[in-house]
Amino acid sequence: MTPPNVIGSSATPTQNNLTKHARSMSNQSVGEAYGSGNVLQPPSRDVRDGRSMSNANVPWGPRGASLAASGQPPGSFSSDLKTLTLPRMGTPRAELGAFISGDYTQGNMATTTEQRQTELRDKITKETKIKVGSENLLEALISKNAKQTKDQRQRVETELSSSNYKIAELKSQLNAEIEKANRPSSPTRARISSLFQGSPLKSPSRDELSVQEGPEKAAPESESPSYVLSEILQALEVDGMQADYYVERANNLVDLFKRYPSLKYDLAWAIFGDRVQTMLLSENRDVIAAGYRVTRQVIADRASLQTIRGLHIDSLIMLSLVKDDKASIEREQALKLVRAFLDVKNGVQELSNAVLRTVVSVAEHHEDRLRNMALLTMAEVLVRDPKKALTAGSMSPLADALAGGTYNGSESLAIAFLHLADSPRDRVMLRSGQELAAAFTSFTDPLAVYGNEERLKSSARLISTVLKTWPGVFTLSGSNFSAFQSLLSSLSYPAPVAREILLDLLFDVLCIKPPSWTSSFLAGRRLTTYGRVAKLTTDTPSQNQKLDPEDENNEVSLVDHFTTLLLAIFVHCGVTHALSDLIEDEIDLSLRRKATLLLSEILKLANHSLPGTMSASLQVMPALLQPDVGDDSENAPPTTGMIYQIDSVNRTLNRSGPNAKPHLASNNRYRESYETVGKNEAARPKLNVDMDDLQFRSLVLETQVLSSSNYLKWKWDLIMDIVEGPLLNPKRLDDAVKATKFLKRLTAFYRPFKHRFADVRNTKPNQRYVRGGCALLKTLLQTSEGISYLAESKLLRQLGECIAQLDPLSGLISEMPIFSPYRVSETLSGGYFALLGVLSGNPQGLQMIERWRMINMFYHIMDLEGRDDLVQALLGNMDFTLDSHLRVMLSKALTACPKGIRIYATRLLRKYVTTVAASEGTQNSGSLRSQWAIRLLVTQLYDPEVQVCETAVQILEEACNRRSHLEYVVQCRPALDHLGEIGAPLLLRFLSTSLGYQYLDGLDYIGQEMDDWFLGRNATYVTLVEASLSRALFPQIQRPRSGIDEPMKTHEYGIVPPHFYRELTRTVEGCRLLSSSGHFDEFVATIQNSWSEAEDLEVMLKVKGCLWAVGNIGSMELGAPFLEETNVVEVIVKIATSSEVMTMRGTAFFVLGLISRSLHGMEILAEYGWHSATDATGRSLGFCLPPDLKTLLSLGIRPAAARARSKRPLKSTSKTTPLDEDPLHSRILSLAVDLGNTVLAKKAAGDLYSIKNKSPEQFSSVELFRKVTKVLETHAFRLQVRRFILDLFDKSVMTNVVLDDEDDDGEPGER
């Protein structure tokens, strides 16, 4: 049929066709296709005769295929609604997408660059896991007999090589995809012309279009989006076509709106709405789903939502949602359309109560596939408009989902309840106020803890989410912390699975990160022997602080302060006694050890974080000693052994300390191997340097170096001990050179042309050979004999020749260079740069490098194109501590190399400005040694690439923690105006010294910045702090990145960000300016006058901003006197204990912690009874707690609010039965109401069937239908009841309601 030439001719032919096939509303054809993924499946058979949409026959989908959409989360959708048809004899492919916990997995074909990037990242993660597993297996095989494991080791090495190749290839594809996504692209005219022809899964070429469609249908190159839109709308007007015809045009329409979003603002709604109504009234479910999908794409603002509702979309959505699972795609698209309302500002106001009650009925039906999606939808409605959600009856299914523990996404539901519990205005809508406490039922019910592991894990995640928010802590602290006490008492149930989950929950809630040796300890290995625990003592933050007394990095951790409060609550509820009883009663040794470790960590954390008045009594633990007093029997409880084990764990924790921050300045694995020589291997028991000759010869023979030339048979651990011990003695070194071939064979192993070390595969276990070579060179450089031997050996000469092969000017050429890209990545050839790095850190070694003219070759390597791997290996392993040509080479890399190398070289400077050597005697010596690196970093601030500048700013900001470095940076007078917000943190650091203050004052920076913070930046700071705390407490999985794009350091969430007024009060000049400006008095006045505000969000945000400003000022010793001039501390204490807004209380609690960091502020808080935690020197840690936790955490609902809570639902919902003059209609309406009563439902259903059989014409009345939908809007019915009621009416009723405008006197779903 040829489409008409004029748009807007009328949809009457299609409408008339629809009215001819009036049937029951949910009585659809059986032959429906279940779509694969987010798409609909059209008929696979080639039906040559034209048929109407209602008669389209669609085959069944593959058995076991998913009925729900796949690919994207609820509310986001794929670009196609049509699937490929299966061949007759083809085997259907298993579905990858299934609805799980409200999430949708991605389809097989990625249609957007984000999906392709996600797929590549997932593949990289998978291959990385395979690589790590292969390395661990290879390391385990090395310790076994070499002959027995030779074949297995070769297979593992092959797999490892394959993984490395795949990872490199995937990273290359990912980088290409990222660059492609960052490039602005616009669709070409040819792309437009081929977009809307043929299958939407593949755009055919112009020639194919000409063959398939003919010359008259080939779109011209000058086709505009508006013209394409008009053509598609004309095509949709055609009547009597198959279902796939309409689905395909709808898919094309969706693609058009996605590519040209502005089209939806210029729609002719009279024509477009007519086409949408026609599709939604079709009897084919695929066509209806396509109509919903098209409607969703044209939503732009609230006005468009009102226009869509004018199409009677509410009744159509109700009808679709109540259908059975056979219409899964239609129901899913209808629910997605409802969710699309929530994406528009104030769009929730356009959701009618009739639609919301239908969604609630879906959420209440536990067997419904869309239940999870419906629950998430109602949770979002609850957050955006609590009154509307309460009127629709959403509280009951949401609370049941929380208490049931079977919904995997219960954390998202809990956030909705936490949002309500925060403010008193919304808090009254909670029925009991204890909805969140229902999550503890899974642990406290003795019958539920057995055999329900998944439910217990889901409840544990929910409890963890609740306890990491202020509303959750306040809500669960009621009734004398009964929720906490019931959780700890559930540890007494003899259920190992539940106990283990509870222990993991306590680890998570208290933010206790188990040490690296936890798995070995739980397996029963002794802490004194396994794994060399002592090696963990190196490079800890505590040591760095001792080495750098000038460090002024006073970072304040809000997470630690929040965790301190939770710890105090658990201690108050008896967590130590509960764990002690568990250790005594538990039979499972692994679980006992885990409880012992947790108890040790809690005691250590309490000793560090809690005030002395609270933690002193914990360390005695008299309950553990009491059972053994006077009991000498062998069957006594093993409390003495438990105390010994706790003491052993504590001593190990004290030795290991917190995990050190990794050096991210260099991500070269060979450099890391060299750096671990003096750390991991330092823990090995050292051999005596002054051992006698016989003992030394015996050890040399034991290494197997003299008896075998196969390096795999050598005992490398013993070789390392000898190299780092006896060979440091010149006498023993002379013996190793002259009396034996030990040193000769060892150095020969590393000679490049021997192809031994250079051909070893680059795996993690084989890095020991790199460490051995670095240790050997380091030892030889310690003595004159070793220097002479090294200078005369062939190692450096051959190494210089291999490097010369990379220099095009040297004339040396090799078919297989040692430093070819393949060998550098797959073998240990790159480890030679680590050996050269050892030489570069020693003056004599540097002379050897210059002797063989390697420096000149290094310069030429920097100019090589396509060898970024070699440049990174060279820069990452060189030691730039000595002033030499290497620094000039580094400067060249910082300025003249490509962007990736410039970023990498900039990160290398971090360790030279932040690490303080132990040999530095005076405070200024560290600054003098780092000035060259600071100058280079200041130069990087003017790099044309913003990422390079940002990296330099981060490093300089960290370097400014030392006052001497900060003063030198100021002396360099860097200009940061061109960086904007990127350079702001560094400028703030300048304020902390008088020199920096004067420099910024001369630039007129201080006055402008002060006005900005006073007028608006304080409010922005509140959002920044709360977002940082949320990210810290709820960490998100970071996507893996490529090496160059990897950030210099992970952002430390949960740390108080730099504040202008805090930095200002570090100097006397800043305090004078603050006093003269009067800003502090304004902050205090705002807090005093508006702290009790509980409804105006803007006022509350302003009060929080003033609180943070006062807290940052009071945290400085020079700013603390401002607190004493006013009674602001008393007001803040009152806010922390009396405010009705929970997050306001939490803000005040954090601010009091900031105030306690200064000695003066700690004294002021002591006057109000608040205790502060201090370290061994009496310095405040910034953690303060009230004398009684109940005064801080008690929050009751006032009786007036309780009355309002009980009255509000009744006021907003009217359940009166609509009246009708026709007695039969009135009888039908009354029976419909009775269907909601479980006692009368059966009789009412029978009576309705009887009326339908006797008077079927009654159920063709539009007026009766509208009154019945009014009943459905105001009453709560189960999903099956709603389906039963709507099935009573004829299909023609819906057609008349939607298309008959003459009798349209009101919408059935009117708000």
Side-chain angles (χ1 to χ4, degrees):
M1 180 180 295
T2 305
N5 296 328
V6 181
I7 298 180
S9 56
S10 146
T12 305
T14 305
Q15 297 169 6
N16 293 336
N17 180 60
L18 288 174
T19 55
K20 294 178 183 178
H21 301 278
R23 300 188 304 174
S24 177
M25 293 185 184
S26 64
N27 184 19
Q28 303 290 333
S29 61
V30 179
E32 294 288 347
Y34 290 138
S36 173
N38 270 350
V39 297
L40 294 180
Q41 188 173 11
S44 60
R45 292 184 299 175
D46 185 11
V47 184
R48 300 187 181 276
D49 54 334
R51 299 182 181 180
S52 65
M53 291 184 289
S54 61
N55 295 328
N57 295 321
V58 187
W60 287 90
R63 184 175 183 86
S66 173
L67 302 183
S70 63
Q72 297 164 357
S76 60
F77 320 98
S78 70
S79 61
D80 196 4
L81 199 64
K82 177 181 178 182
T83 58
L84 293 172
T85 56
L86 294 173
R88 178 172 300 182
M89 300 304 294
T91 302
R93 188 172 181 177
E95 277 290 329
L96 297 181
F99 181 77
I100 302 175
S101 306
D103 293 330
Y104 295 83
T105 59
Q106 295 185 351
N108 296 335
M109 182 180 297
T111 57
T112 63
T113 181
E114 290 82 3
Q115 292 178 354
R116 289 192 290 271
Q117 292 180 28
T118 303
E119 288 181 356
L120 289 173
R121 289 189 175 99
D122 292 341
K123 292 180 180 178
I124 291 174
T125 303
K126 179 181 178 181
E127 292 297 333
T128 303
K129 292 180 179 178
I130 296 176
K131 174 185 175 182
V132 173
S134 301
E135 289 178 344
N136 294 336
L137 179 58
L138 194 60
E139 191 171 1
L141 293 175
I142 287 178
S143 61
K144 298 182 180 180
N145 191 311
K147 291 184 178 180
Q148 297 177 357
T149 60
K150 180 179 179 180
D151 295 338
Q152 189 176 2
R153 189 168 62 250
Q154 289 178 351
R155 290 196 300 269
V156 175
E157 289 178 350
T158 303
E159 181 66 27
L160 185 58
S161 177
S162 175
S163 297
N164 289 330
Y165 176 77
K166 291 181 181 178
I167 291 174
E169 185 69 20
L170 291 172
K171 286 184 177 180
S172 176
Q173 296 178 12
L174 178 61
N175 291 334
E177 193 66 39
I178 293 175
E179 292 179 1
K180 179 181 177 181
N182 292 335
R183 287 198 303 265
S185 61
S186 59
T188 61
R189 291 186 298 177
R191 184 180 181 183
I192 298 174
S193 64
S194 64
L195 179 62
F196 305 105
Q197 302 292 338
S199 173
L201 295 180
K202 178 181 178 181
S203 298
S205 63
R206 188 187 311 172
D207 296 335
E208 292 173 343
L209 286 173
S210 301
V211 174
Q212 295 175 5
E213 303 292 341
E216 67 278 5
K217 291 192 177 182
E221 293 294 331
S222 60
E223 205 167 42
S224 66
S226 300
Y227 181 78
V228 175
L229 176 62
S230 64
E231 280 192 336
I232 298 176
L233 292 179
Q234 285 184 16
L236 287 175
E237 190 180 5
V238 178
D239 181 30
M241 303 300 290
Q242 298 181 25
D244 62 337
Y245 173 88
Y246 302 98
V247 172
E248 185 174 342
R249 270 62 184 176
N251 288 338
N252 294 340
L253 197 58
V254 170
D255 291 336
L256 182 66
F257 284 125
K258 285 186 175 181
R259 298 188 185 282
Y260 302 98
S262 59
L263 273 180
K264 57 189 174 185
Y265 296 100
D266 301 323
L267 277 179
W269 279 100
I271 301 174
F272 180 81
D274 184 67
R275 305 298 181 271
V276 169
Q277 286 180 327
T278 303
M279 295 182 68
L280 295 179
L281 289 172
S282 170
E283 294 185 3
N284 185 276
R285 295 163 183 160
D286 296 349
V287 178
I288 298 175
Y292 283 127
R293 189 161 176 261
V294 171
T295 306
R296 192 174 70 240
Q297 295 300 323
V298 299
I299 295 177
D301 49 22
R302 188 173 179 181
S304 64
L305 294 179
Q306 293 172 350
T307 305
I308 291 173
R309 289 195 63 198
L311 303 177
H312 303 276
I313 201 76
D314 292 348
S315 299
L316 293 168
I317 291 177
M318 290 171 52
L319 176 62
S320 296
L321 289 179
V322 299
K323 291 182 179 180
D324 54 17
D325 288 339
K326 295 179 181 179
S328 60
I329 300 178
E330 175 187 342
R331 298 177 70 237
E332 179 185 325
Q333 293 297 327
L335 188 53
K336 284 184 176 182
L337 178 59
V338 174
R339 290 183 56 79
F341 278 58
L342 303 177
D343 297 332
V344 179
K345 183 179 180 181
N346 297 325
V348 68
Q349 302 298 331
E350 299 301 326
L351 284 174
S352 66
N353 193 48
V355 172
L356 291 180
R357 281 197 177 272
T358 308
V359 175
V360 169
S361 65
V362 175
E364 291 175 338
H365 190 50
H366 292 270
E367 303 300 327
D368 200 298
R369 295 180 61 86
L370 297 181
R371 176 175 180 261
N372 294 342
M373 195 173 174
L375 286 173
L376 287 177
T377 304
M378 295 313 304
E380 293 183 26
V381 174
L382 183 62
V383 172
R384 288 176 168 84
D385 194 339
K387 294 181 181 179
K388 184 177 288 290
L390 186 66
T391 303
S394 63
M395 302 297 289
S396 178
L398 291 177
D400 292 342
L402 281 180
T406 56
Y407 177 57
N408 293 329
S410 55
E411 299 92 330
S412 56
L413 305 184
I415 293 175
F417 286 96
L418 294 171
H419 176 75
L420 290 185
D422 183 29
S423 63
R425 180 184 58 184
D426 297 335
R427 194 181 307 142
V428 297
M429 298 183 185
L430 298 176
R431 293 183 177 179
S432 62
Q434 299 297 323
E435 285 81 1
L436 296 174
F440 293 81
T441 307
S442 302
F443 294 99
T444 57
D445 186 1
L447 300 179
V449 296
Y450 298 98
N452 295 314
E453 183 176 356
E454 292 300 325
R455 180 183 176 186
L456 292 175
K457 290 181 178 179
S458 177
S459 299
R461 292 193 300 268
L462 174 60
I463 294 173
S464 175
T465 301
V466 173
L467 290 180
K468 290 180 180 180
T469 61
W470 282 115
V473 172
F474 282 107
T475 301
L476 299 179
S477 298
S479 303
N480 195 20
F481 307 102
S482 59
F484 291 91
Q485 293 177 358
S486 62
L487 185 66
L488 294 177
S489 63
S490 59
L491 285 172
S492 60
Y493 296 143
V497 174
R499 284 180 168 180
E500 185 173 7
I501 294 175
L502 278 175
L503 293 179
D504 293 334
L505 173 62
L506 291 176
F507 272 109
D508 182 31
V509 169
L510 297 178
C511 297
I512 298 175
K513 185 178 180 180
S516 58
W517 42 265
T518 300
S519 58
S520 298
F521 170 69
L522 296 181
R525 302 178 189 172
R526 295 182 59 188
L527 294 177
T528 55
T529 57
Y530 93 90
R532 314 291 185 188
V533 175
K535 70 182 180 183
L536 299 174
T537 59
T538 59
D539 205 21
T540 61
S542 59
Q543 274 192 337
N544 288 338
Q545 292 175 2
K546 293 178 182 179
L547 294 175
D548 191 6
E550 197 186 353
D551 192 355
E552 294 182 353
N553 184 19
N554 297 322
E555 292 182 340
V556 183
S557 175
L558 300 178
V559 176
D560 291 345
H561 195 190
F562 186 78
T563 304
T564 300
L565 177 62
L566 289 177
L567 177 63
I569 295 174
F570 277 108
V571 169
H572 174 76
C573 296
V575 64
T576 55
H577 296 287
L579 291 176
S580 301
D581 295 340
L582 172 61
I583 296 172
E584 293 181 17
D585 299 338
E586 182 57 48
I587 302 176
D588 188 352
L589 296 180
S590 177
L591 198 56
R592 288 182 59 181
R593 297 188 191 101
K594 195 169 192 176
T596 302
L597 178 61
L598 177 60
L599 181 57
S600 304
E601 290 278 9
I602 288 178
L603 293 176
K604 179 183 176 182
L605 188 61
N607 184 49
H608 173 265
S609 303
L610 293 182
T613 55
M614 295 184 179
S615 62
S617 59
L618 290 179
Q619 308 302 325
V620 180
M621 300 187 66
L624 295 182
L625 293 173
Q626 187 175 1
D628 282 346
V629 176
D631 192 351
D632 297 333
S633 63
E634 296 181 357
N635 297 326
T639 54
T640 304
M642 182 177 62
I643 293 176
Y644 172 78
Q645 197 171 31
I646 292 175
D647 181 66
S648 175
V649 172
N650 272 324
R651 283 187 278 107
T652 307
L653 289 173
N654 292 330
R655 288 200 306 270
S656 61
N659 293 331
K661 299 178 181 179
H663 267 292
L664 294 179
S666 170
N667 60 0
N668 187 280
R669 66 189 305 172
Y670 304 109
R671 182 66 179 179
E672 293 174 356
S673 300
Y674 160 61
E675 289 177 348
T676 56
V677 170
K679 297 176 183 178
N680 295 353
E681 303 299 337
R684 197 189 317 277
K686 297 289 186 180
L687 296 177
N688 187 10
V689 178
D690 299 326
M691 66 173 55
D692 56 24
D693 183 60
L694 292 178
Q695 189 177 3
F696 176 71
R697 289 176 181 271
S698 175
L699 289 175
V700 169
L701 290 174
E702 190 178 348
T703 60
Q704 304 296 321
V705 174
L706 301 180
S707 60
S708 175
S709 60
N710 186 359
Y711 67 93
L712 294 175
K713 297 182 179 180
W714 296 354
K715 296 183 178 179
W716 284 94
D717 291 342
L718 184 57
I719 292 175
M720 288 289 294
D721 291 339
I722 294 176
V723 169
E724 295 177 342
L727 288 187
L728 292 174
N729 188 335
K731 175 62 176 174
R732 300 283 79 82
L733 180 61
D734 188 63
D735 292 342
V737 173
K738 297 179 180 179
T740 66
K741 294 184 179 181
F742 175 75
L743 205 58
K744 180 180 178 181
R745 286 194 174 182
L746 201 56
T747 53
F749 168 72
Y750 290 98
R751 282 161 53 184
F753 295 156
K754 287 286 188 179
H755 288 281
R756 303 178 72 187
F757 172 80
D759 289 350
V760 177
R761 286 189 175 274
N762 184 13
T763 62
K764 183 179 179 180
N766 289 342
Q767 294 300 313
R768 58 178 181 170
Y769 304 132
V770 181
R771 292 193 294 268
C774 293
L776 178 61
L777 295 186
K778 185 178 180 181
T779 298
L780 293 177
L781 291 174
Q782 301 299 317
T783 59
S784 58
E785 293 82 358
I787 294 174
S788 301
Y789 178 81
L790 187 59
E792 296 172 358
S793 67
K794 298 180 182 179
L795 174 62
L796 298 182
R797 182 173 59 191
Q798 294 184 6
L799 192 54
E801 185 175 345
C802 293
I803 296 177
Q805 295 173 1
L806 300 171
D807 187 0
L809 302 179
S810 65
L812 297 179
I813 301 176
S814 175
E815 294 182 358
M816 283 296 295
I818 293 294
F819 296 111
S820 64
Y822 173 80
R823 295 182 65 91
V824 170
S825 61
E826 299 298 328
T827 67
L828 293 184
S829 298
Y832 283 118
F833 289 103
L835 303 184
L836 293 175
V838 176
L839 298 178
S840 65
N842 187 279
Q844 288 76 17
L846 201 56
Q847 291 178 3
M848 298 180 191
I849 293 178
E850 294 175 350
R851 174 189 175 187
W852 298 106
R853 302 185 184 277
M854 295 185 192
I855 297 293
N856 296 337
M857 304 172 194
F858 290 165
Y859 281 113
H860 295 154
I861 289 177
M862 304 294 296
D863 298 330
L864 293 178
E865 295 183 0
R867 292 307 308 270
D868 289 352
D869 59 332
L870 208 60
V871 177
Q872 287 190 25
L874 176 61
L875 295 175
N877 288 282
M878 291 298 107
D879 190 343
F880 302 99
T881 304
L882 300 178
D883 189 5
S884 63
H885 282 283
L886 293 178
R887 290 186 181 178
V888 182
M889 181 186 70
L890 178 61
S891 178
K892 179 181 179 181
L894 290 168
T895 55
C897 286
K899 171 188 172 182
I901 299 299
R902 298 204 306 273
I903 295 174
Y904 183 80
T906 304
R907 291 171 180 164
L908 289 177
L909 295 173
R910 177 178 178 270
K911 63 180 178 180
Y912 296 104
V913 298
T914 58
T915 304
V916 183
S919 59
E920 294 175 359
T922 62
Q923 293 183 352
N924 294 328
S925 60
S927 177
L928 294 175
R929 291 171 181 253
S930 304
Q931 287 181 1
W932 67 272
I934 293 176
R935 288 194 299 269
L936 291 178
L937 285 171
V938 171
T939 304
Q940 294 304 96
L941 296 175
Y942 309 106
D943 193 278
E945 291 290 340
V946 177
Q947 191 173 355
V948 178
C949 300
E950 186 177 4
T951 303
V953 168
Q954 291 178 358
I955 299 174
L956 286 174
E957 185 183 359
E958 189 175 356
C960 288
N961 292 330
R962 302 188 73 238
R963 181 174 294 272
S964 58
H965 288 172
L966 175 58
E967 292 178 352
Y968 186 75
V969 173
V970 175
Q971 291 176 9
C972 294
R973 303 180 68 84
L976 301 174
D977 295 340
H978 64 289
L979 296 179
E981 291 295 328
I982 296 177
L986 186 58
L987 289 175
L988 284 181
R989 298 306 302 268
F990 289 178
L991 284 175
S992 58
T993 62
S994 299
L995 183 62
Y997 180 90
Q998 296 171 5
Y999 169 64
L1000 295 178
D1001 191 31
L1003 298 176
D1004 197 22
Y1005 166 82
I1006 299 178
Q1008 297 178 5
E1009 193 73 5
M1010 194 172 190
D1011 293 339
D1012 290 343
W1013 278 82
F1014 182 73
L1015 297 177
R1017 294 280 290 278
N1018 273 331
T1020 307
Y1021 184 84
V1022 175
T1023 305
L1024 178 63
V1025 172
E1026 293 180 352
S1028 176
L1029 181 62
S1030 177
R1031 287 292 299 272
L1033 292 174
F1034 303 100
Q1036 300 178 358
I1037 299 177
Q1038 299 293 334
R1039 292 179 175 179
R1041 307 190 184 189
S1042 58
I1044 293 179
D1045 291 334
E1046 185 180 359
M1048 183 196 66
K1049 62 176 182 178
T1050 56
H1051 184 75
E1052 295 182 354
Y1053 296 108
I1055 303 297
V1056 177
H1059 197 284
F1060 173 80
Y1061 290 99
R1062 183 185 182 202
E1063 303 299 326
L1064 188 66
T1065 51
R1066 288 180 183 270
T1067 60
V1068 178
E1069 296 87 348
C1071 292
R1072 292 173 184 169
L1073 178 62
L1074 178 61
S1075 179
S1076 61
S1077 65
H1079 287 186
F1080 186 82
D1081 296 332
E1082 291 290 338
F1083 296 150
V1084 174
T1086 302
I1087 294 173
Q1088 291 176 340
N1089 298 331
S1090 306
W1091 71 269
S1092 59
E1093 179 61 42
E1095 295 187 1
D1096 194 332
L1097 297 179
E1098 293 185 1
V1099 175
M1100 293 165 57
L1101 184 63
K1102 185 177 181 181
V1103 172
K1104 288 182 180 180
C1106 294
L1107 284 172
W1108 283 113
V1110 171
N1112 279 280
I1113 293 172
S1115 64
M1116 297 288 100
E1117 294 295 341
L1118 294 178
F1122 286 93
L1123 303 175
E1124 198 169 11
E1125 297 175 1
T1126 60
N1127 64 338
V1128 64
V1129 177
E1130 180 182 359
V1131 178
I1132 297 176
V1133 171
K1134 188 175 182 180
I1135 295 174
T1137 55
S1138 304
S1139 176
E1140 294 185 354
V1141 181
M1142 297 180 181
T1143 53
M1144 184 69 73
R1145 282 195 179 191
T1147 302
F1149 177 77
F1150 285 136
V1151 169
L1152 291 175
L1154 284 177
I1155 294 175
S1156 69
R1157 292 188 65 84
S1158 64
L1159 180 61
H1160 201 64
M1162 188 168 56
E1163 294 175 353
I1164 296 176
L1165 286 175
E1167 297 177 2
Y1168 296 98
W1170 283 61
H1171 306 290
S1172 302
T1174 59
D1175 57 12
T1177 62
R1179 184 180 178 182
S1180 175
L1181 299 175
F1183 309 144
C1184 64
L1185 293 173
D1188 186 6
L1189 293 176
K1190 295 179 183 179
T1191 60
L1192 175 66
L1193 300 172
S1194 61
L1195 185 67
I1197 300 179
R1198 295 173 298 179
R1203 288 195 298 270
R1205 180 188 65 193
S1206 61
K1207 293 181 179 179
R1208 187 163 301 183
L1210 296 177
K1211 181 179 178 181
S1212 59
T1213 304
S1214 175
K1215 292 190 177 182
T1216 58
T1217 304
L1219 301 178
D1220 196 294
E1221 296 179 357
D1222 189 338
L1224 187 56
H1225 285 187
S1226 180
R1227 173 63 176 165
I1228 293 174
L1229 294 175
S1230 177
L1231 291 175
V1233 173
D1234 292 343
L1235 288 175
N1237 188 327
T1238 55
V1239 178
L1240 305 176
K1242 186 174 181 180
K1243 182 178 183 301
D1247 293 344
L1248 286 173
Y1249 263 126
S1250 177
I1251 295 175
K1252 181 176 176 62
N1253 293 330
K1254 294 179 180 179
S1255 304
E1257 69 280 357
Q1258 299 295 331
F1259 293 93
S1260 299
S1261 171
V1262 175
E1263 181 182 359
L1264 178 62
F1265 177 80
R1266 288 174 175 166
K1267 291 185 178 181
V1268 168
T1269 54
K1270 191 65 177 179
V1271 172
L1272 296 177
E1273 178 184 2
T1274 56
H1275 291 70
F1277 293 102
R1278 292 181 295 110
L1279 184 63
Q1280 297 89 337
V1281 175
R1282 291 179 178 272
R1283 183 186 307 149
F1284 171 77
I1285 294 175
L1286 293 177
D1287 280 349
L1288 294 173
F1289 288 88
D1290 194 271
K1291 179 64 180 290
S1292 60
V1293 176
M1294 180 60 67
T1295 304
N1296 294 332
V1297 169
V1298 175
L1299 299 180
D1300 188 5
D1301 294 334
E1302 296 179 1
D1303 298 333
D1304 187 12
D1305 55 355
E1307 296 183 24
E1310 193 173 5
R1311 288 174 286 116

